[in-house]
Amino acid sequence: MLISSRLPSGSKLVCGRPNSSSVVETVQWTEKKPVKNATLSACRSSIAAFLILTSLTGAAFAADLDTWVQSESRIATNKLLANISPAGTLPGTIVASPSRANPDYYFHWIRDAGLVMDAVVTLHQGSANKEDQQRYAKLLFDYVDLSRRNQLTSNPSGGPADGGLGEPKFNVDGSAFTGSWGRPQNDGPAIRSNSLIRFANILLKQGREDYVRSRLYDSRLPAETVIKADLEYVSHHWREASFDLWEETKGQHFYTRMVQRKALIQGADLAERLGDGGAASWYRSQASEIEKEIVKHWDGQIIRATRDGGDWKSSGLDTAIILGVLHGGLNDGFMSLTDDRVLSTVERLKNDFHGRYGINGRDTDFDGKLLGTALGRYPEDKYTGYDSNGLGNPWFLLTNALAEFYFKSARHFQEEGQIQISATNERFFRSLPIRARLQLMSGQVYDSKTAMFREIIRSLREAGDAQLRRTKLHASSDGSLSEQMNRDSGYMQGANDLTWSYASMLTAIWAR
Ligand code: NOJ
Ligand code: NOJ
């Protein structure tokens, strides 16, 4: 029924998620006439046939990666912006997804919002004209106001001075969400201040110190400004157990600690710049205490996501490590993108997820180009995007994070000017698409003048592109991205138009 004998160009491995009318939008066998109304299982079996057909015909996707990246970057920007202050919400609200049921993601999550607005800071910085720049600035100013309002709103985690900043999400009218939830989540205030510290530094450069002092950072205590309140919260509460970024496990988390450390170090610089030297040294002292805890997550093989909690995840593997390095890394030599422990963990994650998800069985695209590995949250995951009674799936934002990781580590190795192959990182380098004629030697140090160094850099970039091809393969043909893709069929599922998926798309593309 769905399978045509000839494969039109432009067909894509795409399925919409089941919507309320339980109709699934399925494979678009022609660009113009999408076939709808098929059931999910029909959709799945058609995929199998599709894969066989395409391997026979060698049919190619319409766009090559460069072209797709260009259009996807425009689409992701527009779709991300559509989820900021949508009609009916308080200005400054970032909905995690427009989806209001199955799953209901129509909330302002502190973590998602902070990561999304970090991308908006970059858009603001890179604006081609004044109008764009002002448009982005307006979104950021609204976000600052909403953030301050969130900080002052008493909620189930507490009030402004006693724990309320750890609250993970708010209703879109700015009121407290009072349902049961995994709280507190202490990565939130750190992520929020990381984006706002960047914004504050830009504003200072533009001569807007008055605004910065009145809304973002001022030394007064109790804190009256957003960043100050967040840094006070982070510096006084970081030792306490909190829920992880996946909102499921209470304990001490590598991810949370990495973003907290970054907030305190960057915050200390801002404090100093604004004449708050005492606070600066307090924040720095806490950052170095946090470092002592972060390194304990290394178990000799991998960086484990959680300590003192989360024992039910026996593998200890979690892509939160990749996110922690990307969102919390300062490239200052501490747990950097080129750190052996990080590289070792990345290889183990990639290897595990490669074997875990059916879709990863295919490792070249329709042009015969390398396809990267679709990554999920952690091996034991049961969250299907709708409930937690099934099997976890790959996520776009994690698959994109690995692309970003490869691109950025390539650049970082180039800055360092040499690559040392060690017992700890060797498997990572061997997992790269290094051309066969070159032999990687254990124990060797390759400096930037060697052919092997250049080949490693090339293969890191190729591995990054391969990750983007993976996203391209499973993204909708209109460029939209949900939260997850089904591990076996590859069809999108979970919250549609996840704002964080778009932010991850942009940061990966910018790193390319
Ligand atoms: C369960 C998921 O595992 C968790 O990560 C998610 O935040 C909640 N459901 C809400 O969707
Ligand atoms: C579930 C994810 O696990 C969590 O990290 C995220 O904040 C929420 N969904 C909202 O996107």
Side-chain angles (χ1 to χ4, degrees), residues 103-105 109 111 169 181 185 244-248 377-378 381-388 395 483:
D104 185 1
Y105 271 36
W109 257 273
R111 167 182 35 262
K169 66 175 192 180
W181 209 252
Q185 294 179 19
D244 70 330
L245 81 166
W246 309 136
E247 317 194 281
E248 298 169 327
R377 301 194 295 183
Y378 53 90
D381 201 356
K382 290 183 155 66
Y383 180 50
T384 62
Y386 310 110
D387 61 54
S388 294
W395 286 37
E483 180 183 74

Side-chain angles (χ1 to χ4, degrees), residues 404-438:
E404 183 175 338
F405 178 85
Y406 283 132
F407 294 137
K408 288 189 167 165
S409 61
R411 194 152 317 128
H412 199 43
F413 276 122
Q414 280 184 307
E415 281 159 21
E416 291 178 346
Q418 64 166 46
I419 296 171
Q420 173 156 24
I421 312 302
S422 70
T424 309
N425 70 25
E426 185 172 344
R427 278 172 45 165
F428 172 83
F429 288 108
R430 292 201 185 281
S431 74
L432 295 175
I434 292 178
R435 289 182 183 132
R437 63 188 165 78
L438 289 174

Side-chain angles (χ1 to χ4, degrees), residues 10 123 140 174 197 228 254 298 300 303 306 321 348 363 390 399 407-408 420 439 450 502:
L123 289 169
L140 286 157
I197 289 167
K228 183 70 177 176
F254 178 86
W298 170 247
I303 299 169
T306 300
I321 307 305
R348 292 282 296 273
D363 53 17
T399 304
F407 294 137
K408 288 189 167 165
Q420 173 156 24
Q439 285 293 313
T450 60
Y502 295 125

Side-chain angles (χ1 to χ4, degrees), residues 229-449:
D230 279 339
L231 294 178
E232 288 300 306
Y233 181 80
V234 172
S235 62
H236 291 282
H237 294 269
W238 66 267
R239 287 183 195 275
E240 295 159 21
S242 78
F243 277 82
D244 70 330
L245 81 166
W246 309 136
E247 317 194 281
E248 298 169 327
T249 300
K250 197 167 184 182
Q252 311 289 351
H253 313 288
F254 178 86
Y255 178 84
T256 304
R257 297 239 149 125
M258 285 293 285
V259 293
Q260 289 174 327
R261 169 184 180 266
K262 176 175 172 179
L264 293 172
I265 292 176
Q266 307 266 71
D269 292 347
L270 179 67
E272 201 153 76
R273 199 165 165 183
L274 295 171
D276 196 7
S281 43
W282 159 249
Y283 299 149
R284 287 201 184 102
S285 73
Q286 294 311 295
S288 56
E289 291 301 310
I290 292 180
E291 288 171 11
K292 294 180 197 157
E293 297 303 315
I294 291 177
V295 295
K296 295 183 187 163
H297 286 254
W298 170 247
D299 72 1
Q301 307 280 322
I302 57 164
I303 299 169
R304 298 183 78 88
T306 300
R307 301 178 64 245
D308 306 327
D311 298 337
W312 58 281
K313 296 187 204 169
S314 52
S315 73
L317 282 169
D318 194 320
T319 44
I321 307 305
I322 303 177
L323 296 181
V325 171
L326 290 175
H327 302 164
L330 284 168
N331 259 355
D332 58 355
F334 182 79
M335 286 292 175
S336 70
L337 297 151
T338 58
D339 186 290
D340 278 5
R341 294 164 294 188
V342 172
L343 299 179
S344 170
T345 309
V346 168
E347 187 277 332
R348 292 282 296 273
L349 283 164
K350 188 177 155 84
N351 193 40
D352 179 285
F353 286 118
H354 192 270
R356 187 167 298 278
Y357 300 141
I359 56 171
N360 286 329
R362 180 183 185 100
D363 53 17
T364 51
D365 70 7
F366 302 102
D367 296 321
K369 296 260 175 61
L370 190 67
L371 270 180
T373 303
L375 297 184
R377 301 194 295 183
Y378 53 90
E380 301 83 353
D381 201 356
K382 290 183 155 66
Y383 180 50
T384 62
Y386 310 110
D387 61 54
S388 294
N389 309 318
L391 287 173
N393 293 298
W395 286 37
F396 285 106
L397 72 93
L398 297 167
T399 304
N400 287 339
L402 184 56
E404 183 175 338
F405 178 85
Y406 283 132
F407 294 137
K408 288 189 167 165
S409 61
R411 194 152 317 128
H412 199 43
F413 276 122
Q414 280 184 307
E415 281 159 21
E416 291 178 346
Q418 64 166 46
I419 296 171
Q420 173 156 24
I421 312 302
S422 70
T424 309
N425 70 25
E426 185 172 344
R427 278 172 45 165
F428 172 83
F429 288 108
R430 292 201 185 281
S431 74
L432 295 175
I434 292 178
R435 289 182 183 132
R437 63 188 165 78
L438 289 174
Q439 285 293 313
L440 200 68
M441 305 282 281
S442 330
Q444 195 77 27
V445 181
Y446 297 105
D447 76 44
S448 56
K449 287 186 280 305

